[in-house]
Amino acid sequence: MSKRTSLKDIAKELNISVSTVSRALRNVGEVSEETRRKVKELAESWKYKPDPLALGLLKNKTGYIGVILPDPVNHYFSTVLHGMNIVAQENGYHLLISYSYDQSVNEQKAIDDFVWARAEGLMICPAIDTIDIRKYQQIGGNGIPLVFVERDIPEMDVPAVITDNYKSMQSLMEFLIGCGYRRIALITNLEYYSVGRICYQAYTDVLKKKRIALRKELIIHGNMSISTSVEAARHLLQLTPIPDAVVVTDDCSAMAVMKVFQEEGLSVPDDIAVTGFNDEPFTSYISPPLTTVSRPGYLMGMKAMELLIETIKKSKSTTDCEKIILESDLVIRNSTIRSPERWTR
Amino acid sequence: MSKRTSLKDIAKELNISVSTVSRALRNVGEVSEETRRKVKELAESWKYKPDPLALGLLKNKTGYIGVILPDPVNHYFSTVLHGMNIVAQENGYHLLISYSYDQSVNEQKAIDDFVWARAEGLMICPAIDTIDIRKYQQIGGNGIPLVFVERDIPEMDVPAVITDNYKSMQSLMEFLIGCGYRRIALITNLEYYSVGRICYQAYTDVLKKKRIALRKELIIHGNMSISTSVEAARHLLQLTPIPDAVVVTDDCSAMAVMKVFQEEGLSVPDDIAVTGFNDEPFTSYISPPLTTVSRPGYLMGMKAMELLIETIKKSKSTTDCEKIILESDLVIRNSTIRSPERWTR
DNA sequence: TTGAAAGCGTTACCAG
DNA sequence: CTGGTAACGCTTTCAA
């Protein structure tokens, strides 16, 4: 069990004071060349490194950034984390990661822990069931910079990096309608701070604009798990007539929904079209390839982390709160491209 | 900027000493009921919580566990992380996460940082290019428990939780040969500490046992990225005759390989069969569904974290080093089930 | 039953 | 140029 070398060890060995050693190592203050050289040599050979805990205690800085994401097992969030990690690493920060599993209580606990552990900044993707936003205010109250990522809370004066889901959904809906689809179903989560909520908004807005009746029975609220989506798909098949397209706000669920239809002997997209969200890698490999919205998760993570670190470094007050909205791309694939003759039926 | 309340604050308010407050709060030592009550009340209302940094400095304990994984964007590793996180959370530990991106230098840096930050334990999936194992010995030298996960280094006396990839690959190969496949190609990474290396071993062993000639040209070394796998697939199509089956040691790559074949007008599995590894969710949705090996990532993460925390708590010496090997399942799907009449050609 | 002091590893300030 | 001291927040030992 090799002991860590401390300033004191070096000082003792060289018969000088701890303060001199400290100054010598940091190249500050007045230290004779001779002493400085000797100190540095010894420090080098003893592999001295300052103790982060002691430094943290003293300076109130830890080099940690607390990250709270909803779910570890989600490709899209993984790309976001990847982006955050790259930037954090470049800037010498370490990531403290916690997962809320989309439950506010877990998030609250993680926030408390991170604040208490003196994280220098917090990056949060708010849990989907968030209603009480005081927990976020408390963070600012403690003087810790906060940035929202992927999900914004507009009424809060907190910087955020998100993607333009409203616009994406709008494009998607307009595209589908342009194709000729009219009975368009929606499977989505509707929680207030979710992607799905915004998609729902765009969905209704576009229908209204295009003067297509909004049918309640075509809108299904789910939690975007495979099982509830499968159930939702089965439900849609009970309707007469069945929808001619189904918009699902998650690729995995869309894939599962598509499979339900195919197992029932329907052709996608000739009998019923399906779309997803996120453009996960598999979407171009399934059959038929999935029309979806490609979102820049990696870039979002990077931008958000840059914003957070910038805020930390300037120790800016949260007053100037930038909301960065990244563009997404509509990716059109065969799951919506119906053969012309099938439009006649 | 609300200041954190410290023992000193409480002591000052109550006109008693810091040590008394400390004892009162922790229910140790002799403190009068009266004092204890008053202290606890005030601590409660001021939301006092001990400072983790100060405690860490004093006790050499931080409540952090350092985790080093190869890649944030990998479904399988995400499930492993999920398992680790659940167990860590239950036990009051926080995760410090770093990604090596499968490069030893990054791993080395992360180890140094974590050791220096007084992580109480380290959980590492060794970078694929690891050759120098001294970095791991150093960790033990610092008295910090270490557990390997997903990739073991057998020559080291370090606890590990892995899956039985040799056996899985053996089953897979025997299954394929049992089906009638004879020209079985292999696309895999061959780095020493990789899953692929072990698969390669099983591949050759089974061929030998079944007295099937080992053909060098059927073995392709790749890094399991989509692009190199696509290249590998194209290469295999140059051979005459082409292989009748291709074993790929990663689902994503297998999916890409399959697509190459299909785009060339070949039928999978009638012209050429394909198998993957990991049983990622999409594998049952692509066309044809992929034969693959289902590995218990979540369970592995949990077991590994349990092992690590147990070791931390007992502050066991690394002498009794348990190597836990979890079983995997062969999942047979249509990508290998060839119509009988196609065997006659 | 309580308090003072030392110590964990570091930096900052002030004398010398 | 150098050293001592206080401080960060806490626990522990010893003395009162």
Side-chain angles (χ1 to χ4, degrees), chain A residues 4 51 82 101 116 118, chain B residues 4 51 82 94 101 116 118:
Chain A
R4 321 156 73 93
D51 186 314
H82 178 33
Y101 298 104
W116 217 244
R118 289 186 164 78
Chain B
R4 321 155 72 90
D51 186 323
H82 179 33
H94 274 284
Y101 296 105
W116 219 242
R118 288 187 166 79

Side-chain angles (χ1 to χ4, degrees), chain A residues 1-2 4 49-51 64 72 78 82 85 94-97 99 101 113 116-118 141 255 259 284-285, chain B residues 1-2 4 49-51 64 72 78 82 85 94-97 101 113 116-118 141 255 259 284-285:
Chain A
M1 173 104 102
S2 66
R4 321 156 73 93
K49 278 190 291 186
D51 186 314
Y64 290 137
S78 294
H82 178 33
N85 183 54
H94 274 284
L95 259 33
L96 273 168
I97 304 184
Y99 296 96
Y101 298 104
D113 288 351
W116 217 244
R118 289 186 164 78
M255 171 176 83
K259 184 160 203 189
S284 62
Y285 291 93
Chain B
M1 173 106 105
S2 66
R4 321 155 72 90
K49 278 191 291 186
D51 186 323
Y64 290 138
S78 295
H82 179 33
N85 183 55
H94 274 284
L95 259 34
L96 273 166
I97 303 184
Y101 296 105
D113 287 352
W116 219 242
R118 288 187 166 79
M255 170 176 82
K259 184 162 201 186
S284 61
Y285 290 93

Side-chain angles (χ1 to χ4, degrees), chain A residues 111-331:
Chain A
I111 291 175
D112 288 346
D113 288 351
F114 287 167
V115 166
W116 217 244
R118 289 186 164 78
E120 289 186 43
L122 254 55
M123 174 84 74
I124 301 182
C125 174
I128 212 167
D129 65 342
T130 294
I131 33 174
D132 186 357
I133 59 177
R134 279 175 303 179
K135 58 185 171 188
Y136 304 125
Q137 289 158 347
Q138 169 219 338
I139 300 172
N142 276 59
I144 300 176
L146 166 65
V147 167
F148 287 134
V149 68
E150 166 63 15
R151 298 178 190 156
D152 184 30
I153 299 196
E155 53 270 45
M156 287 199 69
D157 226 26
V158 167
V161 183
I162 54 175
T163 60
D164 196 344
N165 301 319
Y166 185 89
K167 203 168 143 199
S168 304
M169 188 63 177
Q170 211 176 16
S171 313
L172 177 60
M173 285 298 290
E174 282 170 357
F175 164 75
L176 288 175
I177 292 169
C179 286
Y181 296 103
R182 285 297 174 274
R183 273 178 72 80
I184 304 173
L186 175 67
I187 299 178
T188 187
N189 46 12
L190 292 172
E191 276 80 5
Y192 194 72
Y193 294 112
S194 69
V195 171
R197 170 76 186 197
I198 295 150
C199 291
Y200 170 76
Q201 203 56 53
Y203 171 89
T204 56
D205 289 355
V206 171
L207 287 185
K208 185 177 291 175
K209 198 173 111 196
K210 297 285 183 182
R211 298 179 195 287
I212 298 176
L214 182 77
R215 295 178 189 281
K216 281 252 162 60
E217 72 271 21
L218 292 183
I219 300 168
I220 302 191
H221 176 193
N223 65 359
M224 307 327 275
S225 72
I226 298 259
S227 59
T228 63
S229 300
V230 163
E231 212 173 305
R234 295 227 175 88
H235 176 80
L236 289 176
L237 292 185
Q238 307 296 320
L239 302 177
T240 29
I242 64 167
D244 54 12
V246 182
V247 171
V248 190
T249 58
D250 175 82
D251 281 335
C252 277
S253 289
M255 171 176 83
V257 164
M258 199 154 79
K259 184 160 203 189
V260 168
F261 295 158
Q262 291 171 330
E263 282 173 351
E264 291 296 323
L266 296 172
S267 155
V268 177
D270 285 344
D271 296 317
I272 188 165
V274 175
T275 70
F277 219 83
N278 283 351
D279 194 28
E280 291 197 31
F282 66 80
T283 51
S284 62
Y285 291 93
I286 57 179
S287 175
L290 194 65
T291 290
T292 186
V293 172
S294 170
R295 303 201 294 152
Y298 178 69
L299 183 67
M300 186 168 80
M302 293 204 353
K303 290 261 186 225
M305 191 50 80
E306 281 164 7
L307 195 58
L308 182 57
I309 290 178
E310 194 187 315
T311 314
I312 293 172
K313 287 196 171 152
K314 294 190 190 163
S315 39
K316 279 197 283 192
S317 50
T318 11
T319 41
D320 61 327
C321 129
E322 214 177 336
K323 306 262 187 192
I324 299 180
I325 301 176
L326 303 175
E327 299 264 317
S328 307
D329 288 318
L330 184 57
V331 181

Side-chain angles (χ1 to χ4, degrees), chain B residues 37 90 92 127 165 170 204 236 240-242 244 259 266 289 316:
Chain B
R37 194 186 47 71
E90 260 170 18
N165 300 318
Q170 212 176 17
T204 56
L236 289 176
T240 30
I242 63 167
D244 53 12
K259 184 162 201 186
L266 296 172
K316 279 198 285 194

Side-chain angles (χ1 to χ4, degrees), chain B residues 253-262 268 274 286-288 290 335:
Chain B
S253 288
M255 170 176 82
V257 163
M258 200 155 78
K259 184 162 201 186
V260 169
F261 295 158
Q262 291 171 329
V268 178
V274 175
I286 56 179
S287 174
L290 194 64
S335 72

Side-chain angles (χ1 to χ4, degrees), chain B residues 186 188-191 193-201 249:
Chain B
L186 176 67
T188 187
N189 46 11
L190 291 173
E191 275 80 6
Y193 294 113
S194 68
V195 171
R197 170 75 185 200
I198 294 151
C199 291
Y200 170 77
Q201 203 56 53
T249 59

Side-chain angles (χ1 to χ4, degrees), chain A residues 87-106:
Chain A
V87 173
Q89 199 168 292
E90 260 171 17
N91 287 271
Y93 285 95
H94 274 284
L95 259 33
L96 273 168
I97 304 184
S98 208
Y99 296 96
S100 67
Y101 298 104
D102 259 329
Q103 295 186 299
S104 242
V105 278
N106 296 333

